[in-house]
Amino acid sequence: MSHPHPTRPLRHIAPLTALCPPPPDGGRNVEWTDVERTLGVPLPADYKQLVRTYGGGLFGDLVWLLEPGCPEAMYDLVAQTTEREEILAGLWAAGEVRPPELDEDGARLVPWGYAEGAGHFLYWLIRRDTDPDDWTVVLNEGRGPL
């Protein structure tokens, strides 16, 4: 399920590692095939590189990077995907406006980050014919309707 782009360098990782040096013991090696099979989608190459380089955790006291296999369910990519799908379905059933982009056949949201304190979730907007490395990032406001 993995779709690496050998011609598209992971240009965002080098500036990040210059600003925020990775932990000395590095990130985590993940069996991505199993994770992607469980989620039903391939994941972006830059996200996989972030997890390999840093592991999940808190960046700048602001954004938690979710990672597969995190012992804390709140920050586990797979657990949060299931939980957030249920929460969003409940919000939409209660009348909160559902993003029209999700009306496209096969469109869905998968969370990848969480804003500490504010409660915002960061999602990838997955569209059927869009490569994972080109997914749009969507923010769901934690304490408001956006």
Side-chain angles (χ1 to χ4, degrees), residues 99-133:
E101 295 86 355
L102 293 174
D103 293 336
E104 295 176 19
D105 188 35
R108 67 185 275 217
L109 296 172
V110 170
W112 62 267
Y114 172 78
E116 182 74 12
H120 306 326
F121 266 87
L122 297 159
Y123 294 88
W124 292 299
L125 172 60
I126 298 170
R127 291 179 158 140
R128 177 175 287 179
D129 296 325
T130 304
D131 187 277
D133 293 332

Side-chain angles (χ1 to χ4, degrees), residues 1-10 32-33 36 42-46 48-49 52 131-133:
M1 285 185 120
S2 182
H3 294 106
H5 288 282
T7 59
R8 182 184 301 175
L10 300 176
W32 293 109
T33 303
E36 291 172 329
L43 294 170
D46 58 355
K48 293 177 190 178
Q49 185 63 43
R52 266 192 303 276
D131 187 277
D133 293 332

Side-chain angles (χ1 to χ4, degrees), residues 64-102:
W64 280 92
L65 178 65
L66 305 181
E67 71 172 319
C70 180
E72 174 57 54
M74 178 65 187
Y75 307 111
D76 179 81
L77 177 74
V78 175
Q80 279 304 308
T81 298
T82 301
E83 184 174 321
R84 298 308 303 171
E85 285 174 342
E86 293 170 3
I87 289 170
L88 290 173
L91 290 172
W92 296 328
E96 189 167 308
V97 178
R98 185 173 187 256
E101 295 86 355
L102 293 174

